[in-house]
């Protein structure tokens, strides 16, 4: 990964007074940035080598509570420290914050000897290393969809999360006039992220009132996940600075289109797209066909990593451009997997299952693992589906989080690729989400005179 800002350049910026704060961050299980704000002078003097954080940060729920049941960390274990090891190739300016730079970290044990296996960045790195041993480099891209609301999160929270109003009043898909009215948010998002070294391509209105899409140029898998995570964080901060809430909830309202995060992927070798074969009718190499067959065969196994919450499954509704079936097709937005760039050197597979709430490190890692399994097993790819796939009778995407969790728990492919400790850790994360949902529903029932089942 080519550095955006070298460590030497950071030191010079600190000496000149241009940078006074360094955000030392890592992605947590939910894909959020966690970490510390360092006085820049202290960071370049010593903290650039290591920092520390509580190990509960990789075992929390969305509310930052500390649920039990994790093997990696617990009250009984005393909640000790992890080491945050800055990856100095990820240093970058943060233009939307005055005098600020950022660096991403890998998470190691307290003594810095071993990478923590269930840390999202570690999980993706290990799948990339597996592909490298096969002679391939994964090139990927993610799309970020989200909603902008009229009010800020503080105002929405104080109102009890009632009467949410999107920033616009009608479907703004590709709509230039409506998106002009939102440029006070979207223009700084594009420009600030570009100056932060994120290769932004464009923004556009999406297929609902107040819905936006941010597109970032493809890159190697780790850089793609880093770009996605930083961009998502920036969207929220920049929207807040303009008095608006930005939400990546996949389905914020039952009668509104949901938000996705499509993942484009191909494998490269010696600087060329190994998925491309000019002799094939669709430009698909044998390698691509086996990889895609793996994506399809194991899609149910890794759906959790694309849809990790109760709300995630509310998005899968026919006629909403969100897929419902595990099938591939050529440039067909009703399918779970869409072939893009057919017949060209840019041929790639787009996975349309993922929601806007996915953690990109986990989502990319799981798909790479499935694709590698397809290659290793020499799987044959079925012919593409045609027409309205919503009307088909092929395998369905798991219907809810419970089903997805069971598929993940029992997946020999995921356990072989990621390890039992990783799979069990994220099974527990799914259980925590399910338990919280069940408790809310049960309390609601009890308050109305129902007995606990």
């Amino acid at each position: 990964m080519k550095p955006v800002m070298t460590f030497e350049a950071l030191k010079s910026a600190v000496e000149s007074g241009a940078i006074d704060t360094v955000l030392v961050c890592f992605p947590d299980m939910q894909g959020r940035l966690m970490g510390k704000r360092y006085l820049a002078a202290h960071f370049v003097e010593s903290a650039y080598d290591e920092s520390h954080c509580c190990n509960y940060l990789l075992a929390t729920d969305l509310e930052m509570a500390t649920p039990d049941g994790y093997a990696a960390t617990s009250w009984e274990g005393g909640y000790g420290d992890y080491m945050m090891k800055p990856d100095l190739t990820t240093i970058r300016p943060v233009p939307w914050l005055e005098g600020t730079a950022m660096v991403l970290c890998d998470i190691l044990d307290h003594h810095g000897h071993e990478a923590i296996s269930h840390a999202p960045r570690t999980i993706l790195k290990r799948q990339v290393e597996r592909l490298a041993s096969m002679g391939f480099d994964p090139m990927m891209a993610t799309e970020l969809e989200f909603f902008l609301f009229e009010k800020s999160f503080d105002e929405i929270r104080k109102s009890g999360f009632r009467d949410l109003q999107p920033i616009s009043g009608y479907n703004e898909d590709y709509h230039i006039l409506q998106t002009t009215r939102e440029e006070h948010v979207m223009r700084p998002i594009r420009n600030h992220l570009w100056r932060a070294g994120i290769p932004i391509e464009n923004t556009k209105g999406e297929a609902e009132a107040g819905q936006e899409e941010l597109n970032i140029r493809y890159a190697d898998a780790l850089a793609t996940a880093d770009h996605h995570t930083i961009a998502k964080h920036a969207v929220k901060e920049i929207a807040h600075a303009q008095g608006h809430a930005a939400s990546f909830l996949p389905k914020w309202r039952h009668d509104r289109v949901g938000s996705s995060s499509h993942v484009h992927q191909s494998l490269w070798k010696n600087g060329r797209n190994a998925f491309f074969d000019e002799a094939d009718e669709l430009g698909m190499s044998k390698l691509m066909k086996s990889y895609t067959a793996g994506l399809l065969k194991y899609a149910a196994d890794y759906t959790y990593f694309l849809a990790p919450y109760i709300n995630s499954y509310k998005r899968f509704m026919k006629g909403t451009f969100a897929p419902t079936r595990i099938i591939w097709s050529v440039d067909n937005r009703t399918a779970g997997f869409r072939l893009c760039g057919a017949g060209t050197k840019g041929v790639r597979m787009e996975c349309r299952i993922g929601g806007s709430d996915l953690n990109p490190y986990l989502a990319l890692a799981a798909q790479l693992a499935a694709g590698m399994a397809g290659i290793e097993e020499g799987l044959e790819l079925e012919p593409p589906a045609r027409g309205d796939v919503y009307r088909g009778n092929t395998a369905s995407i798991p219907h809810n989080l419970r089903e997805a969790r069971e598929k993940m728990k029992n997946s020999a492919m995921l356990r072989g690729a990621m390890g039992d400790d990783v799979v069990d850790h994220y099974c527990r994360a799914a259980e925590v989400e399910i338990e919280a949902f069940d408790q809310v529903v049960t309390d609601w029932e009890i308050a109305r005179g129902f007995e606990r089942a």
Side-chain angles (χ1 to χ4, degrees):
M1 188 185 307
K2 185 179 179 181
V4 176
M5 185 181 198
T6 66
F7 184 56
E8 292 303 315
L10 175 62
K11 288 198 290 186
S12 296
V14 173
E15 290 172 4
S16 71
I19 297 293
D20 59 50
T21 300
V22 178
L23 306 181
V24 180
C25 310
F26 69 93
D28 70 358
M29 294 165 62
Q30 291 77 19
R32 301 170 295 192
L33 289 180
M34 297 290 154
K36 304 176 183 179
R37 279 178 153 82
Y38 268 92
L39 181 73
H42 178 67
F43 177 80
V44 299
E45 179 183 346
S46 62
Y48 70 88
D49 189 48
E50 67 178 75
S51 182
H52 296 85
C53 66
C54 180
N55 62 21
Y56 93 95
L57 291 170
L58 288 178
T60 68
D61 62 13
L62 282 166
E63 297 295 327
M64 297 294 292
T66 52
D68 59 13
Y70 285 103
T73 184
S74 64
W75 289 110
E76 183 177 351
Y79 286 112
D81 272 358
Y82 283 151
M83 177 187 288
M84 299 165 58
K85 183 69 173 177
D87 179 348
L88 300 183
T89 68
T90 67
I91 298 172
R92 67 188 68 242
V94 182
W96 60 95
L97 298 177
E98 184 179 358
T100 302
M102 174 191 291
V103 66
L104 297 179
C105 298
D106 292 308
I107 302 300
L108 312 180
D109 65 36
H110 182 60
H111 301 290
H113 298 152
E114 298 290 340
I116 299 302
S117 61
H118 56 276
R121 214 163 183 262
T122 300
I123 292 171
L124 178 54
K125 278 187 166 185
R126 287 182 173 171
Q127 299 311 308
V128 171
E129 288 166 0
R130 289 183 61 212
L131 270 170
S133 71
M134 298 168 66
F136 298 109
D137 299 311
M139 303 300 287
M140 311 185 86
T142 57
E143 304 171 20
L144 287 80
E145 295 180 5
F146 56 95
F147 279 86
L148 288 177
F149 292 92
E150 283 185 348
K151 297 180 179 179
S152 71
F153 269 125
D154 286 339
E155 292 173 304
I156 291 171
R157 174 177 50 80
K158 290 173 182 176
S159 71
F161 297 94
R162 303 289 181 180
D163 191 30
L164 277 73
Q165 295 297 325
I167 197 170
S168 68
Y170 55 88
N171 182 327
E172 57 184 84
D173 201 17
Y174 293 92
H175 203 295
I176 295 298
L177 176 59
Q178 181 55 46
T179 51
T180 296
R181 297 165 180 162
E182 296 149 17
E183 274 288 83
H184 65 291
V185 179
M186 301 309 297
R187 182 170 179 259
I189 286 174
R190 293 192 303 272
N191 292 332
H192 284 321
L193 283 171
W194 177 264
R195 287 193 288 271
I198 309 297
I200 299 300
E201 290 188 339
N202 61 69
T203 60
K204 61 178 282 291
E206 252 300 325
E208 186 53 87
Q211 191 178 31
E212 315 287 347
E213 180 178 306
L214 173 66
N215 290 301
I216 304 173
R217 190 177 191 272
Y218 73 88
D220 67 84
L222 184 61
T224 293
D226 288 347
H227 294 162
H228 181 116
T229 301
I230 295 167
K232 188 172 180 179
H233 182 84
V235 165
K236 294 177 181 179
E237 290 192 335
I238 294 168
H240 173 77
Q242 296 295 329
H244 300 287
S247 175
F248 288 83
L249 194 68
K251 193 76 170 178
W252 78 272
R253 187 167 148 168
H254 74 280
D255 57 352
R256 304 273 190 170
V257 169
S259 290
S260 67
S261 183
H262 302 150
V263 178
H264 297 252
Q265 52 206 292
S266 58
L267 300 185
W268 288 46
K269 190 168 188 176
N270 300 324
R272 296 185 178 182
N273 186 359
F275 274 11
F276 177 60
D277 181 355
E278 62 183 358
D280 183 77
E281 179 183 5
L282 295 174
M284 300 176 69
S285 67
K286 182 179 179 181
L287 177 81
M288 182 180 188
K289 291 176 181 178
S290 292
Y291 181 99
T292 302
L295 289 179
L296 295 170
K297 177 179 178 180
Y298 295 109
D301 292 33
Y302 63 78
T303 293
Y304 168 79
F305 292 113
L306 301 174
Y309 306 108
I310 296 289
N311 180 270
S312 307
Y313 296 82
K314 299 179 184 298
R315 176 178 148 261
F316 299 128
M317 296 175 61
K318 65 180 182 179
T320 66
F321 292 100
T324 58
R325 299 195 176 277
I326 299 170
I327 196 73
W328 80 281
S329 190
V330 180
D331 196 20
N332 183 336
R333 287 181 168 85
T334 69
F337 296 86
R338 178 173 75 118
L339 181 69
C340 299
T344 74
K345 292 181 181 179
V347 69
R348 62 197 183 277
M349 188 55 64
E350 176 193 45
C351 174
R352 299 179 58 82
I353 297 173
S356 53
D357 55 349
L358 61 73
N359 180 326
Y361 300 93
L362 304 179
L364 271 55
Q367 288 171 85
L368 292 176
M372 278 187 279
I375 295 170
E376 292 168 345
E377 296 171 25
L379 297 181
E380 298 287 335
L381 182 63
E382 61 194 33
R386 300 182 185 279
D388 183 357
V389 174
Y390 288 124
R391 299 183 179 183
N393 58 3
T394 55
S396 296
I397 294 167
H399 294 92
N400 53 54
L401 183 57
R402 283 183 174 84
E403 184 179 337
R405 183 231 174 235
E406 288 304 306
K407 294 287 187 181
M408 172 174 58
K409 179 182 179 181
N410 296 313
S411 174
M413 183 279 292
L414 286 176
R415 290 185 177 277
M418 295 182 175
D420 289 337
D421 54 339
V422 171
V423 173
D424 290 341
H425 188 87
Y426 285 93
C427 281
R428 180 56 191 150
E431 290 169 358
V432 168
E433 172 80 358
I434 293 167
E435 289 166 2
F437 177 78
D438 287 346
Q439 185 64 45
V440 170
V441 173
T442 302
D443 286 347
W444 185 90
E445 292 170 340
I446 290 173
R448 285 155 180 79
F450 295 92
E451 293 184 3
R452 190 181 297 272

